[in-house]
Amino acid sequence: MTIQNRDEFLNQIAKSLGRPVRTKVERPVWKHSPQLEVLKNASQDELVEVLKQQCKNIHTTFVQTDTANLANTLQQVVTDYGGESVITWKDERFEKFGMNKLMECWPETGIKLYEWNPDTPEENIRQAEKANIAITISEMTLAESATAMLYSHPNRGRTMNFLPQNIIVLIPKSSIVPRMTQAAQKIHQQIEKGQPIPSCILFMSGPSNSADIESVLIVGVHGPVKATYIVIEDQ
Protein backbone atom coordinates (compact mmCIF):
# COMPACT_ATOMS: atom_id res chain seq x y z
CA MET A 1 0.00 0.00 0.00
CA THR A 2 1.32 3.44 -0.96
CA ILE A 3 0.74 6.36 1.42
CA GLN A 4 0.02 9.50 -0.58
CA ASN A 5 1.48 12.92 0.41
CA ARG A 6 2.81 11.67 3.73
CA ASP A 7 5.93 13.84 3.76
CA GLU A 8 4.03 17.00 2.86
CA PHE A 9 1.49 16.29 5.59
CA LEU A 10 4.13 15.66 8.28
CA ASN A 11 6.18 18.67 7.20
CA GLN A 12 3.14 20.93 7.53
CA ILE A 13 2.43 19.67 11.06
CA ALA A 14 6.08 20.07 12.11
CA LYS A 15 6.17 23.59 10.66
CA SER A 16 3.05 24.54 12.60
CA LEU A 17 4.59 23.19 15.80
CA GLY A 18 7.87 24.95 15.14
CA ARG A 19 10.04 21.84 15.29
CA PRO A 20 11.73 19.33 12.92
CA VAL A 21 9.83 16.36 11.58
CA ARG A 22 10.02 13.36 13.92
CA THR A 23 10.11 10.13 11.97
CA LYS A 24 10.88 7.82 14.87
CA VAL A 25 9.53 7.78 18.40
CA GLU A 26 11.40 5.88 21.10
CA ARG A 27 9.41 4.18 23.78
CA PRO A 28 10.16 5.77 27.17
CA VAL A 29 11.61 3.68 29.99
CA TRP A 30 9.12 3.99 32.81
CA LYS A 31 10.29 4.02 36.41
CA HIS A 32 7.26 2.02 37.51
CA SER A 33 5.31 -0.60 35.54
CA PRO A 34 2.53 -1.80 37.86
CA GLN A 35 0.72 -3.48 35.00
CA LEU A 36 3.52 -6.07 34.85
CA GLU A 37 3.07 -6.99 38.50
CA VAL A 38 -0.55 -8.13 38.30
CA LEU A 39 -0.67 -11.93 38.70
CA LYS A 40 3.03 -11.90 37.82
CA ASN A 41 3.92 -15.18 39.54
CA ALA A 42 0.58 -16.95 39.14
CA SER A 43 0.76 -20.51 37.90
CA GLN A 44 -1.42 -21.67 34.99
CA ASP A 45 -3.76 -23.39 37.45
CA GLU A 46 -4.04 -20.18 39.47
CA LEU A 47 -4.86 -18.21 36.31
CA VAL A 48 -7.61 -20.72 35.51
CA GLU A 49 -9.09 -20.12 38.96
CA VAL A 50 -8.95 -16.34 38.47
CA LEU A 51 -10.71 -16.78 35.12
CA LYS A 52 -13.33 -19.02 36.70
CA GLN A 53 -14.15 -16.52 39.43
CA GLN A 54 -14.30 -13.59 37.00
CA CYS A 55 -16.73 -15.50 34.78
CA LYS A 56 -19.24 -15.24 37.64
CA ASN A 57 -18.97 -11.44 37.47
CA ILE A 58 -19.58 -11.29 33.73
CA HIS A 59 -22.50 -13.75 33.68
CA THR A 60 -20.61 -16.38 31.73
CA THR A 61 -20.82 -20.13 32.22
CA PHE A 62 -17.42 -21.67 32.94
CA VAL A 63 -16.66 -25.30 32.08
CA GLN A 64 -13.43 -27.30 32.37
CA THR A 65 -12.61 -30.46 30.47
CA ASP A 66 -9.80 -32.16 28.52
CA THR A 67 -9.42 -33.13 24.87
CA ALA A 68 -10.62 -36.68 25.47
CA ASN A 69 -13.90 -35.44 26.96
CA LEU A 70 -14.31 -32.25 24.94
CA ALA A 71 -16.81 -33.70 22.46
CA ASN A 72 -19.13 -34.90 25.24
CA THR A 73 -18.77 -31.60 27.08
CA LEU A 74 -19.49 -29.57 23.96
CA GLN A 75 -22.51 -31.71 23.15
CA GLN A 76 -23.93 -31.05 26.60
CA VAL A 77 -23.47 -27.29 26.27
CA VAL A 78 -25.06 -27.29 22.80
CA THR A 79 -27.98 -29.30 24.20
CA ASP A 80 -28.36 -26.89 27.11
CA TYR A 81 -28.63 -24.04 24.61
CA GLY A 82 -31.38 -25.89 22.75
CA GLY A 83 -29.36 -27.15 19.77
CA GLU A 84 -31.25 -26.12 16.62
CA SER A 85 -28.43 -24.53 14.60
CA VAL A 86 -24.69 -24.04 14.96
CA ILE A 87 -22.22 -21.90 13.03
CA THR A 88 -18.46 -22.47 13.30
CA TRP A 89 -15.26 -21.06 11.95
CA LYS A 90 -13.47 -22.93 9.19
CA ASP A 91 -10.62 -23.90 11.49
CA GLU A 92 -8.31 -26.92 11.47
CA ARG A 93 -8.08 -26.75 15.26
CA PHE A 94 -11.52 -28.32 15.56
CA GLU A 95 -10.05 -31.51 14.10
CA LYS A 96 -7.07 -31.24 16.46
CA PHE A 97 -9.49 -31.02 19.37
CA GLY A 98 -11.29 -34.18 18.16
CA MET A 99 -14.57 -32.43 17.38
CA ASN A 100 -15.09 -33.32 13.72
CA LYS A 101 -17.02 -36.55 14.31
CA LEU A 102 -19.38 -34.82 16.70
CA MET A 103 -20.03 -31.97 14.29
CA GLU A 104 -20.61 -34.36 11.38
CA CYS A 105 -23.31 -36.12 13.43
CA TRP A 106 -25.26 -32.97 14.27
CA PRO A 107 -27.31 -32.77 11.04
CA GLU A 108 -28.47 -36.36 11.67
CA THR A 109 -29.81 -35.31 15.07
CA GLY A 110 -31.63 -32.27 13.74
CA ILE A 111 -28.95 -29.66 14.48
CA LYS A 112 -28.16 -27.55 11.43
CA LEU A 113 -24.42 -26.98 11.01
CA TYR A 114 -22.86 -24.22 8.93
CA GLU A 115 -19.12 -23.69 8.46
CA TRP A 116 -17.92 -20.19 7.60
CA ASN A 117 -17.13 -19.93 3.88
CA PRO A 118 -14.95 -16.99 2.73
CA ASP A 119 -16.31 -17.38 -0.81
CA THR A 120 -19.93 -16.62 0.20
CA PRO A 121 -19.85 -13.50 2.42
CA GLU A 122 -23.55 -12.66 2.17
CA GLU A 123 -24.60 -16.22 2.97
CA ASN A 124 -22.23 -16.23 5.94
CA ILE A 125 -23.97 -13.22 7.43
CA ARG A 126 -27.40 -14.71 6.76
CA GLN A 127 -26.43 -17.97 8.48
CA ALA A 128 -24.83 -16.15 11.43
CA GLU A 129 -27.93 -14.01 11.87
CA LYS A 130 -30.24 -17.01 12.23
CA ALA A 131 -27.83 -19.32 14.11
CA ASN A 132 -28.68 -20.28 17.67
CA ILE A 133 -25.07 -21.04 18.63
CA ALA A 134 -21.63 -19.90 17.46
CA ILE A 135 -18.47 -21.83 18.32
CA THR A 136 -15.14 -20.00 18.30
CA ILE A 137 -11.62 -20.39 19.71
CA SER A 138 -9.73 -17.92 21.88
CA GLU A 139 -6.24 -16.97 20.69
CA MET A 140 -5.33 -15.51 24.08
CA THR A 141 -7.46 -15.38 27.22
CA LEU A 142 -7.16 -12.65 29.85
CA ALA A 143 -7.76 -14.11 33.30
CA GLU A 144 -8.20 -10.81 35.14
CA SER A 145 -11.22 -9.73 33.06
CA ALA A 146 -12.30 -13.15 31.68
CA THR A 147 -11.75 -11.83 28.16
CA ALA A 148 -11.35 -13.97 25.05
CA MET A 149 -9.21 -12.52 22.25
CA LEU A 150 -10.64 -13.50 18.87
CA TYR A 151 -8.76 -12.93 15.62
CA SER A 152 -10.66 -12.13 12.44
CA HIS A 153 -9.57 -14.04 9.33
CA PRO A 154 -11.13 -14.89 5.95
CA ASN A 155 -12.15 -18.22 7.53
CA ARG A 156 -13.22 -16.65 10.85
CA GLY A 157 -15.81 -13.98 10.28
CA ARG A 158 -16.46 -11.13 12.70
CA THR A 159 -20.23 -11.38 12.54
CA MET A 160 -20.07 -14.80 14.18
CA ASN A 161 -19.19 -13.02 17.41
CA PHE A 162 -22.26 -10.75 17.37
CA LEU A 163 -25.20 -12.19 15.45
CA PRO A 164 -25.87 -15.67 16.90
CA GLN A 165 -28.06 -15.95 19.99
CA ASN A 166 -25.43 -17.81 22.05
CA ILE A 167 -21.68 -18.27 21.85
CA ILE A 168 -19.33 -21.03 23.00
CA VAL A 169 -15.65 -20.09 23.22
CA LEU A 170 -13.09 -22.90 23.36
CA ILE A 171 -10.16 -21.85 25.52
CA PRO A 172 -6.90 -23.82 25.43
CA LYS A 173 -5.47 -23.66 28.94
CA SER A 174 -2.11 -22.59 27.50
CA SER A 175 -3.76 -19.48 26.05
CA ILE A 176 -4.59 -18.01 29.47
CA VAL A 177 -2.46 -15.03 30.54
CA PRO A 178 -2.85 -12.57 33.44
CA ARG A 179 -4.36 -9.54 31.70
CA MET A 180 -4.57 -7.17 28.73
CA THR A 181 -0.90 -6.26 29.18
CA GLN A 182 0.26 -9.58 27.74
CA ALA A 183 -2.11 -9.33 24.78
CA ALA A 184 -0.82 -5.86 23.91
CA GLN A 185 2.77 -7.08 24.20
CA LYS A 186 2.09 -9.97 21.84
CA ILE A 187 0.50 -7.75 19.21
CA HIS A 188 3.33 -5.20 19.51
CA GLN A 189 5.94 -7.94 19.08
CA GLN A 190 4.19 -9.20 15.96
CA ILE A 191 4.23 -5.70 14.47
CA GLU A 192 7.93 -5.20 15.32
CA LYS A 193 8.78 -8.50 13.60
CA GLY A 194 6.85 -7.46 10.51
CA GLN A 195 4.35 -10.26 10.98
CA PRO A 196 0.82 -9.73 9.65
CA ILE A 197 -1.88 -9.05 12.22
CA PRO A 198 -5.63 -9.43 11.75
CA SER A 199 -7.65 -6.50 10.45
CA CYS A 200 -9.87 -6.90 13.50
CA ILE A 201 -9.03 -8.23 16.97
CA LEU A 202 -12.05 -8.64 19.21
CA PHE A 203 -11.76 -8.67 22.98
CA MET A 204 -14.95 -10.31 24.24
CA SER A 205 -15.84 -10.48 27.92
CA GLY A 206 -18.90 -12.68 28.14
CA PRO A 207 -22.35 -11.97 26.69
CA SER A 208 -23.49 -8.56 25.49
CA ASN A 209 -24.53 -6.16 28.22
CA SER A 210 -25.20 -2.52 28.92
CA ALA A 211 -25.56 -0.29 31.97
CA ASP A 212 -26.18 2.94 30.08
CA ILE A 213 -29.54 3.62 31.72
CA GLU A 214 -29.15 4.65 35.37
CA SER A 215 -26.20 2.23 35.72
CA VAL A 216 -28.56 -0.75 35.81
CA LEU A 217 -26.82 -3.74 34.20
CA ILE A 218 -28.83 -5.51 31.53
CA VAL A 219 -27.28 -8.72 30.16
CA GLY A 220 -28.21 -9.94 26.71
CA VAL A 221 -28.95 -6.58 25.11
CA HIS A 222 -28.06 -7.93 21.66
CA GLY A 223 -26.16 -11.00 20.49
CA PRO A 224 -24.76 -13.02 22.07
CA VAL A 225 -27.33 -13.26 24.85
CA LYS A 226 -25.50 -16.09 26.64
CA ALA A 227 -21.87 -17.24 26.64
CA THR A 228 -19.98 -20.32 27.78
CA TYR A 229 -16.23 -20.66 28.09
CA ILE A 230 -14.85 -24.21 27.83
CA VAL A 231 -11.29 -24.46 29.13
CA ILE A 232 -9.40 -27.39 27.61
CA GLU A 233 -6.93 -28.57 30.23
CA ASP A 234 -4.41 -30.31 27.97
CA GLN A 235 -4.26 -27.81 25.11
Side-chain angles (χ1 to χ4, degrees), residues 193-219:
K193 293 178 181 178
Q195 297 174 351
I197 60 172
S199 59
C200 175
I201 300 175
L202 172 68
F203 292 94
M204 187 189 76
S205 301
S208 62
N209 62 82
S210 174
D212 290 344
I213 302 175
E214 296 186 0
S215 297
V216 177
L217 179 65
I218 304 297
V219 179

Side-chain angles (χ1 to χ4, degrees), residues 91-109:
D91 196 313
E92 66 280 356
R93 288 174 293 182
F94 290 133
E95 182 176 3
K96 175 186 174 184
F97 294 162
M99 294 168 50
N100 279 12
K101 285 187 178 181
L102 172 65
M103 291 179 171
E104 290 169 1
C105 291
W106 278 340
E108 299 173 9
T109 61

Side-chain angles (χ1 to χ4, degrees), residues 33-233:
S33 299
Q35 73 275 16
L36 300 178
E37 301 302 316
V38 179
L39 300 171
K40 179 180 179 179
N41 299 313
S43 67
Q44 211 63 19
D45 287 336
E46 289 170 334
L47 291 176
V48 170
E49 187 60 29
V50 172
L51 174 66
K52 179 179 180 180
Q53 294 304 315
Q54 182 60 21
C55 279
K56 297 177 182 178
N57 297 330
I58 64 168
H59 308 278
T60 296
T61 302
F62 176 91
V63 180
Q64 272 180 274
T65 188
D66 56 23
T67 303
N69 295 294
L70 177 58
N72 290 335
T73 301
L74 181 62
Q75 179 62 62
Q76 185 59 57
V77 176
V78 169
T79 300
D80 291 345
Y81 279 148
E84 296 182 9
S85 55
V86 175
I87 185 170
T88 70
W89 284 343
K90 186 175 183 180
D91 196 313
E92 66 280 356
R93 288 174 293 182
F94 290 133
E95 182 176 3
K96 175 186 174 184
F97 294 162
M99 294 168 50
N100 279 12
K101 285 187 178 181
L102 172 65
M103 291 179 171
E104 290 169 1
C105 291
W106 278 340
E108 299 173 9
T109 61
I111 299 176
K112 297 178 182 178
L113 176 65
Y114 181 82
E115 182 183 73
W116 191 270
N117 184 349
D119 297 325
T120 56
E122 293 184 2
E123 179 64 12
N124 290 336
I125 295 173
R126 192 177 74 85
Q127 291 291 338
E129 187 176 26
K130 68 179 185 178
N132 181 39
I133 303 166
I135 301 176
T136 61
I137 303 172
S138 179
E139 303 294 335
M140 183 176 282
T141 312
L142 319 182
E144 182 185 50
S145 56
T147 300
M149 184 167 76
L150 306 174
Y151 279 2
S152 67
H153 182 274
N155 293 331
R156 307 170 196 163
R158 296 188 298 272
T159 53
M160 268 190 55
N161 306 314
F162 305 109
L163 295 183
Q165 183 81 357
N166 309 288
I167 190 165
I168 300 170
V169 183
L170 304 180
I171 298 178
K173 184 178 179 180
S174 61
S175 77
I176 303 175
V177 298
R179 66 196 309 272
M180 178 67 76
T181 304
Q182 287 72 34
Q185 288 174 337
K186 178 181 179 181
I187 296 169
H188 181 71
Q189 289 167 1
Q190 287 179 298
I191 294 173
E192 283 193 325
K193 293 178 181 178
Q195 297 174 351
I197 60 172
S199 59
C200 175
I201 300 175
L202 172 68
F203 292 94
M204 187 189 76
S205 301
S208 62
N209 62 82
S210 174
D212 290 344
I213 302 175
E214 296 186 0
S215 297
V216 177
L217 179 65
I218 304 297
V219 179
V221 181
H222 41 73
V225 175
K226 295 181 179 179
T228 294
Y229 291 172
I230 301 179
V231 173
I232 311 170
E233 287 278 349

Side-chain angles (χ1 to χ4, degrees), residues 1-58:
M1 181 180 70
T2 302
I3 301 175
Q4 302 292 335
N5 302 316
R6 178 174 59 181
D7 291 340
E8 291 85 348
F9 178 75
L10 293 177
N11 286 334
Q12 181 61 37
I13 293 176
K15 181 180 178 181
S16 299
L17 294 173
R19 62 166 175 77
V21 175
R22 296 175 183 174
T23 57
K24 184 177 180 181
V25 177
E26 293 186 5
R27 183 185 298 271
V29 178
W30 304 109
K31 183 178 180 180
H32 301 288
S33 299
Q35 73 275 16
L36 300 178
E37 301 302 316
V38 179
L39 300 171
K40 179 180 179 179
N41 299 313
S43 67
Q44 211 63 19
D45 287 336
E46 289 170 334
L47 291 176
V48 170
E49 187 60 29
V50 172
L51 174 66
K52 179 179 180 180
Q53 294 304 315
Q54 182 60 21
C55 279
K56 297 177 182 178
N57 297 330
I58 64 168

